[in-house]
Amino acid sequence: MPYLIAGNWKMNGTLASAEALAAELIATVRGAAAQAEVVLCPPAPLIPAVRAVTKGTAVAVGGQDCHTKEKGAHTGDVSPVLLAELGCRFVIVGHSERRADHGETDELVRAKAEAALKAGLTPIICVGETEAERERGETTTVIARQVTGSVPGGATAEKVVIAYEPVWAIGTGKTATTADIAAVHGQIATLFAAGRGGSDGLRILYGGSVKAANAKEILATNNVSGALVGGASLDAAEFSRIIESCPR
Ligand code: PGA
């Protein structure tokens, strides 16, 4: 599987700025895109506009969240089926900001991932410990609980992506050490393989203050097969340098 670099735009952008950023990204990543699969995850209302700009290019579009159901009385939620219809290939589920802001549990995240798979989307399932949990030495326990609880049991390695995002590293400028990243990614691969016979082909992304300056080292780390990039994905030059940092 190629490396995957996902840009999580979060709640940023206007219609005009999203179209401009997508166009600039396409122009800038043209060469770099051969090194990795690239997906942009704009706010839901901007998906059609970004998709219109990226259509026909190697750059994919994804959602930042989806509901567990295809349709129904769920005000403000986004159907995974609609995301697929709009041309999305991926959807982020269980981002720590959703777990914190909306009280999303592992059980809910797993149901969202299952709904995404059913709609033909690849879920990017996020896990990660808080600073307090890390300081208490609970990282391994938290990761085990989140991976076991959030990743659908029947999911095969090629159909899902797992993103390790230590909560304390998101938007803070702090990144985990490559030793810590390698340890957690190794644990995730082992947890995934248990009961499935292996983790070959599973992509495990690292996320949390990834930028051009640290991408090369992080992407070369054992068991790291891509990055989930927030802030730095809003800058076309910075984002393409991250893509170019994928090992060939
Ligand atoms: P960041 O966000 O790169 O701005 O730290 C990453 C994420 O939350 O996906």
Side-chain angles (χ1 to χ4, degrees):
M1 297 291 276
Y3 275 66
L4 176 66
I5 305 293
N8 176 9
W9 291 5
K10 307 193 179 184
M11 201 173 70
N12 293 298
T14 61
L15 181 54
S17 75
E19 285 173 342
L21 177 59
E24 197 188 346
L25 280 168
I26 302 271
T28 328
V29 304
R30 190 163 291 146
Q35 269 166 262
E37 205 172 346
V38 177
V39 54
L40 307 179
C41 302
L46 298 178
I47 288 171
V50 172
R51 170 75 177 143
V53 177
T54 59
K55 206 169 177 176
T57 74
V59 175
V61 175
Q64 296 179 8
D65 175 52
C66 69
H67 197 269
T68 60
K69 300 266 166 49
E70 291 179 15
K71 61 176 180 173
H74 304 289
T75 305
D77 279 311
V78 178
S79 160
V81 173
L82 183 58
L83 288 178
E85 192 190 338
L86 292 177
C88 290
R89 291 192 20 234
F90 295 86
V91 61
I92 300 167
V93 292
H95 189 281
S96 61
E97 284 152 17
R98 296 223 40 105
R99 290 179 188 258
D101 294 355
H102 300 273
E104 294 196 359
T105 61
D106 290 326
E107 194 184 7
L108 179 67
V109 174
R110 181 197 193 105
K112 288 183 174 202
E114 279 164 356
L117 286 166
K118 196 167 162 222
L121 299 167
T122 299
I124 301 173
I125 305 163
C126 302
V127 298
E129 82 286 1
T130 62
E131 187 150 39
E133 287 164 341
R134 175 162 282 268
E135 276 166 7
R136 288 198 300 266
E138 293 170 5
T139 301
T140 307
T141 319
V142 171
I143 298 300
R145 186 181 67 229
Q146 291 183 339
V147 171
T148 311
S150 308
V151 181
T156 54
E158 295 78 14
K159 291 268 163 69
V160 296
V161 173
I162 300 176
Y164 169 52
E165 296 204 307
V167 178
W168 50 271
I170 295 176
T172 58
K174 298 184 202 169
T175 48
T177 64
T178 49
D180 286 340
I181 296 171
V184 175
H185 281 229
Q187 186 200 355
I188 292 171
T190 305
L191 287 164
F192 187 88
R196 290 184 182 85
S199 63
D200 283 358
L202 174 69
R203 289 187 287 189
I204 308 172
L205 315 185
Y206 172 77
S209 299
V210 175
K211 49 184 194 253
N214 59 23
K216 202 167 182 170
E217 193 188 9
I218 291 170
L219 290 164
T221 303
N222 219 7
N223 280 313
V224 174
S225 28
L228 181 51
V229 186
S233 73
L234 298 170
D235 180 319
E238 185 82 8
F239 192 58
S240 19
R241 281 172 59 210
I242 294 170
I243 299 164
E244 284 162 15
S245 304
C246 290
R248 286 169 191 266

